[in-house]
Amino acid sequence: MDTKALFKLGYGLYILTTQDAGKNYGCVVNTVMQITSNPLQILVGVNKNNATHDALLASSICNISVLDDTAPFALFEHFGFQTSKSVDKFAAWPQIKISANNLPYLTEHTNAYLSGKITSTADYGTHTLFTVEITDGDVLAETPSLTYAVYHADVKPKPAAETKPHGYRCMICGYVHPEDNLPEDFICPICKHGAADFEKL
Ligand SMILES: Cc1cc2nc3c(=O)[nH]c(=O)nc-3n(C[C@H](O)[C@H](O)[C@H](O)COP(=O)(O)O)c2cc1C
């Protein structure tokens, strides 16, 4: 099987935000899809190791900011390559507004946001699938939504040719494990995917 076939699936990119005990949480997700129109429901897949995961379980509400094609790599570094366990991501990212449900959403590099409440969860081992009933939302710009394919092709920096990294690269987020061996049970410290999603450099 060529697991690269899975990379042909199409996704958008989003900042999923929520709150717990007065602290805001948020992370990059690509696993978002609308599942029904009546009621309006979407599904969101979140890794159990993400701080945002536990905050979602605690609050049962969330916002989804839909990233547009102006989103810089710095935004992914900020929300996708560090954890709210150790930083307050929103203190250092002032381009937000607070929606009616008291949660932040991004006001830049974002063409829409949705607010919702979690109505059920399903356990998928490493991830939880959240069913979210949409309660509010707004269009912020008419810019095209960013796709995962464009993120990989144009947003994520390419490794410089003269300083070619060695080791194994995570095909999901681009993290490089700079060793000559990759243990079978290796978990990407950034996006939490396993060894099967790494390619040898
Ligand atoms: C391009 C990209 C896509 C990602 N997609 C997902 C996703 O769909 N689900 C998920 O749980 N994490 C995803 N992540 C990883 C989280 O954003 C990342 O682990 C984040 O640092 C978690 O932050 P937190 O601990 O503050 O919640 C993605 C990261 C990037 C850079």
Side-chain angles (χ1 to χ4, degrees):
M1 180 172 85
D2 185 353
T3 54
K4 287 201 182 75
L6 289 162
F7 293 107
K8 300 300 183 191
L9 294 175
Y11 300 97
L13 282 161
Y14 312 89
I15 303 297
L16 171 67
T17 48
T18 187
Q19 205 172 63
D20 184 21
K23 178 177 171 178
N24 290 323
Y25 290 79
C27 69
V28 180
V29 289
N30 61 280
T31 47
V32 174
M33 67 176 287
Q34 182 178 351
I35 189 71
T36 59
S37 297
N38 189 14
L40 259 181
Q41 294 179 112
I42 63 168
L43 301 175
V44 185
V46 186
N47 192 299
K48 290 177 183 175
N49 290 324
N50 292 1
T52 307
H53 176 275
D54 291 355
L56 278 174
L57 289 177
S59 71
S60 291
I61 54 172
C62 65
N63 281 349
I64 309 268
S65 299
V66 182
L67 297 180
D68 72 14
D69 66 359
T70 69
F73 186 63
L75 190 152
F76 293 91
E77 289 182 298
H78 189 78
F79 286 101
F81 289 10
Q82 58 179 351
T83 176
S84 305
K85 288 171 191 163
S86 47
V87 292
D88 179 352
K89 295 183 185 178
F90 296 90
W93 197 272
Q95 303 94 332
I96 55 165
K97 275 189 181 165
I98 304 298
S99 52
N101 60 1
N102 210 29
L103 296 181
Y105 65 92
L106 271 58
T107 53
E108 290 183 15
H109 313 300
T110 301
N111 59 20
Y113 80 91
L114 297 164
S115 297
K117 60 178 183 193
I118 293 157
T119 53
S120 67
T121 61
D123 188 341
Y124 280 84
T126 55
H127 287 63
T128 297
L129 190 63
F130 292 89
T131 304
V132 180
E133 190 171 324
I134 300 302
T135 52
D136 201 1
D138 205 358
V139 173
L140 306 177
E142 293 303 331
T143 43
S145 299
L146 181 63
T147 65
Y148 209 4
V150 168
Y151 167 78
H152 276 287
D154 299 338
V155 179
K156 204 173 67 174
K158 307 255 179 317
E162 61 274 18
T163 56
K164 194 174 180 297
H166 75 103
Y168 291 81
R169 177 166 45 223
C170 175
M171 293 184 286
I172 305 295
C173 70
Y175 169 79
V176 173
H177 175 67
E179 306 292 337
D180 292 328
N181 291 312
L182 187 75
E184 274 179 18
D185 59 352
F186 189 80
I187 301 290
C188 177
I190 304 301
C191 71
K192 322 292 188 321
H193 280 246
D197 287 322
F198 277 72
E199 60 184 353
K200 185 148 177 48
L201 296 171

PDB file of all heavy atoms in Angstrom, residues 34-42 117 119 131-134:
ATOM      1  N   GLN A  34     -18.404  19.472   7.450  1.00  0.00           N
ATOM      2  CA  GLN A  34     -19.836  19.561   7.745  1.00  0.00           C
ATOM      3  C   GLN A  34     -20.460  18.195   7.492  1.00  0.00           C
ATOM      4  O   GLN A  34     -20.161  17.541   6.488  1.00  0.00           O
ATOM      5  CB  GLN A  34     -20.504  20.605   6.853  1.00  0.00           C
ATOM      6  CG  GLN A  34     -21.985  20.762   7.167  1.00  0.00           C
ATOM      7  CD  GLN A  34     -22.669  21.837   6.334  1.00  0.00           C
ATOM      8  OE1 GLN A  34     -22.009  22.599   5.627  1.00  0.00           O
ATOM      9  NE2 GLN A  34     -23.976  21.892   6.429  1.00  0.00           N
ATOM     10  N   ILE A  35     -21.315  17.737   8.416  1.00  0.00           N
ATOM     11  CA  ILE A  35     -21.922  16.423   8.252  1.00  0.00           C
ATOM     12  C   ILE A  35     -23.434  16.503   7.998  1.00  0.00           C
ATOM     13  O   ILE A  35     -23.970  15.680   7.254  1.00  0.00           O
ATOM     14  CB  ILE A  35     -21.567  15.491   9.455  1.00  0.00           C
ATOM     15  CG1 ILE A  35     -22.000  14.058   9.212  1.00  0.00           C
ATOM     16  CG2 ILE A  35     -22.112  15.992  10.763  1.00  0.00           C
ATOM     17  CD1 ILE A  35     -21.187  13.324   8.186  1.00  0.00           C
ATOM     18  N   THR A  36     -24.137  17.474   8.584  1.00  0.00           N
ATOM     19  CA  THR A  36     -25.575  17.636   8.298  1.00  0.00           C
ATOM     20  C   THR A  36     -25.925  19.117   8.226  1.00  0.00           C
ATOM     21  O   THR A  36     -25.209  19.969   8.770  1.00  0.00           O
ATOM     22  CB  THR A  36     -26.464  16.989   9.381  1.00  0.00           C
ATOM     23  OG1 THR A  36     -26.162  17.587  10.650  1.00  0.00           O
ATOM     24  CG2 THR A  36     -26.272  15.485   9.454  1.00  0.00           C
ATOM     25  N   SER A  37     -27.076  19.397   7.554  1.00  0.00           N
ATOM     26  CA  SER A  37     -27.565  20.782   7.449  1.00  0.00           C
ATOM     27  C   SER A  37     -28.697  21.051   8.427  1.00  0.00           C
ATOM     28  O   SER A  37     -28.949  22.199   8.797  1.00  0.00           O
ATOM     29  CB  SER A  37     -28.072  21.059   6.031  1.00  0.00           C
ATOM     30  OG  SER A  37     -27.008  20.939   5.129  1.00  0.00           O
ATOM     31  N   ASN A  38     -29.430  19.998   8.781  1.00  0.00           N
ATOM     32  CA  ASN A  38     -30.576  20.189   9.659  1.00  0.00           C
ATOM     33  C   ASN A  38     -30.642  19.051  10.683  1.00  0.00           C
ATOM     34  O   ASN A  38     -31.117  17.978  10.353  1.00  0.00           O
ATOM     35  CB  ASN A  38     -31.864  20.239   8.821  1.00  0.00           C
ATOM     36  CG  ASN A  38     -33.044  20.664   9.665  1.00  0.00           C
ATOM     37  OD1 ASN A  38     -32.867  21.160  10.773  1.00  0.00           O
ATOM     38  ND2 ASN A  38     -34.244  20.437   9.147  1.00  0.00           N
ATOM     39  N   PRO A  39     -30.084  19.243  11.895  1.00  0.00           N
ATOM     40  CA  PRO A  39     -29.454  20.473  12.368  1.00  0.00           C
ATOM     41  C   PRO A  39     -28.085  20.672  11.732  1.00  0.00           C
ATOM     42  O   PRO A  39     -27.495  19.734  11.194  1.00  0.00           O
ATOM     43  CB  PRO A  39     -29.324  20.234  13.874  1.00  0.00           C
ATOM     44  CG  PRO A  39     -29.173  18.756  14.005  1.00  0.00           C
ATOM     45  CD  PRO A  39     -30.024  18.165  12.913  1.00  0.00           C
ATOM     46  N   LEU A  40     -27.579  21.905  11.835  1.00  0.00           N
ATOM     47  CA  LEU A  40     -26.257  22.235  11.283  1.00  0.00           C
ATOM     48  C   LEU A  40     -25.188  21.622  12.172  1.00  0.00           C
ATOM     49  O   LEU A  40     -24.987  22.070  13.305  1.00  0.00           O
ATOM     50  CB  LEU A  40     -26.080  23.745  11.291  1.00  0.00           C
ATOM     51  CG  LEU A  40     -26.279  24.517  10.007  1.00  0.00           C
ATOM     52  CD1 LEU A  40     -26.021  25.993  10.243  1.00  0.00           C
ATOM     53  CD2 LEU A  40     -25.391  23.975   8.895  1.00  0.00           C
ATOM     54  N   GLN A  41     -24.531  20.595  11.666  1.00  0.00           N
ATOM     55  CA  GLN A  41     -23.510  19.925  12.485  1.00  0.00           C
ATOM     56  C   GLN A  41     -22.220  19.739  11.693  1.00  0.00           C
ATOM     57  O   GLN A  41     -22.259  19.430  10.493  1.00  0.00           O
ATOM     58  CB  GLN A  41     -23.987  18.532  12.911  1.00  0.00           C
ATOM     59  CG  GLN A  41     -25.177  18.546  13.860  1.00  0.00           C
ATOM     60  CD  GLN A  41     -25.595  17.128  14.211  1.00  0.00           C
ATOM     61  OE1 GLN A  41     -25.451  16.687  15.345  1.00  0.00           O
ATOM     62  NE2 GLN A  41     -26.113  16.411  13.232  1.00  0.00           N
ATOM     63  N   ILE A  42     -21.101  19.895  12.390  1.00  0.00           N
ATOM     64  CA  ILE A  42     -19.802  19.590  11.805  1.00  0.00           C
ATOM     65  C   ILE A  42     -19.101  18.566  12.690  1.00  0.00           C
ATOM     66  O   ILE A  42     -19.494  18.356  13.847  1.00  0.00           O
ATOM     67  CB  ILE A  42     -18.915  20.848  11.636  1.00  0.00           C
ATOM     68  CG1 ILE A  42     -18.599  21.472  13.008  1.00  0.00           C
ATOM     69  CG2 ILE A  42     -19.571  21.865  10.711  1.00  0.00           C
ATOM     70  CD1 ILE A  42     -17.518  22.530  12.931  1.00  0.00           C
ATOM     71  N   LYS A 117     -21.575  24.184  19.812  1.00  0.00           N
ATOM     72  CA  LYS A 117     -21.539  23.443  21.081  1.00  0.00           C
ATOM     73  C   LYS A 117     -21.383  21.956  20.761  1.00  0.00           C
ATOM     74  O   LYS A 117     -21.964  21.438  19.797  1.00  0.00           O
ATOM     75  CB  LYS A 117     -22.796  23.701  21.909  1.00  0.00           C
ATOM     76  CG  LYS A 117     -24.080  23.310  21.231  1.00  0.00           C
ATOM     77  CD  LYS A 117     -25.275  23.561  22.130  1.00  0.00           C
ATOM     78  CE  LYS A 117     -26.531  23.073  21.403  1.00  0.00           C
ATOM     79  NZ  LYS A 117     -27.777  23.450  21.916  1.00  0.00           N
ATOM     80  N   THR A 119     -22.047  18.232  20.949  1.00  0.00           N
ATOM     81  CA  THR A 119     -23.227  17.450  21.310  1.00  0.00           C
ATOM     82  C   THR A 119     -22.890  15.980  21.542  1.00  0.00           C
ATOM     83  O   THR A 119     -23.654  15.277  22.193  1.00  0.00           O
ATOM     84  CB  THR A 119     -24.304  17.566  20.217  1.00  0.00           C
ATOM     85  OG1 THR A 119     -23.700  17.221  18.965  1.00  0.00           O
ATOM     86  CG2 THR A 119     -24.877  18.971  20.154  1.00  0.00           C
ATOM     87  N   THR A 131     -18.634  15.969  17.659  1.00  0.00           N
ATOM     88  CA  THR A 131     -19.757  16.472  16.862  1.00  0.00           C
ATOM     89  C   THR A 131     -20.124  17.839  17.435  1.00  0.00           C
ATOM     90  O   THR A 131     -20.340  17.971  18.645  1.00  0.00           O
ATOM     91  CB  THR A 131     -20.971  15.531  16.970  1.00  0.00           C
ATOM     92  OG1 THR A 131     -20.557  14.226  16.585  1.00  0.00           O
ATOM     93  CG2 THR A 131     -22.098  15.994  16.055  1.00  0.00           C
ATOM     94  N   VAL A 132     -20.149  18.833  16.565  1.00  0.00           N
ATOM     95  CA  VAL A 132     -20.377  20.214  17.009  1.00  0.00           C
ATOM     96  C   VAL A 132     -21.613  20.762  16.311  1.00  0.00           C
ATOM     97  O   VAL A 132     -21.670  20.799  15.075  1.00  0.00           O
ATOM     98  CB  VAL A 132     -19.147  21.099  16.671  1.00  0.00           C
ATOM     99  CG1 VAL A 132     -19.391  22.539  17.128  1.00  0.00           C
ATOM    100  CG2 VAL A 132     -17.879  20.537  17.301  1.00  0.00           C
ATOM    101  N   GLU A 133     -22.601  21.158  17.088  1.00  0.00           N
ATOM    102  CA  GLU A 133     -23.787  21.800  16.509  1.00  0.00           C
ATOM    103  C   GLU A 133     -23.510  23.297  16.403  1.00  0.00           C
ATOM    104  O   GLU A 133     -23.133  23.939  17.395  1.00  0.00           O
ATOM    105  CB  GLU A 133     -25.008  21.544  17.383  1.00  0.00           C
ATOM    106  CG  GLU A 133     -26.291  21.971  16.690  1.00  0.00           C
ATOM    107  CD  GLU A 133     -27.528  21.517  17.458  1.00  0.00           C
ATOM    108  OE1 GLU A 133     -27.506  20.405  18.052  1.00  0.00           O
ATOM    109  OE2 GLU A 133     -28.496  22.296  17.467  1.00  0.00           O
ATOM    110  N   ILE A 134     -23.657  23.827  15.198  1.00  0.00           N
ATOM    111  CA  ILE A 134     -23.306  25.228  14.953  1.00  0.00           C
ATOM    112  C   ILE A 134     -24.396  26.147  15.521  1.00  0.00           C
ATOM    113  O   ILE A 134     -25.584  25.966  15.246  1.00  0.00           O
ATOM    114  CB  ILE A 134     -23.124  25.485  13.444  1.00  0.00           C
ATOM    115  CG1 ILE A 134     -22.004  24.590  12.898  1.00  0.00           C
ATOM    116  CG2 ILE A 134     -22.815  26.960  13.171  1.00  0.00           C
ATOM    117  CD1 ILE A 134     -20.661  24.761  13.568  1.00  0.00           C
TER     118      ILE A 134
END
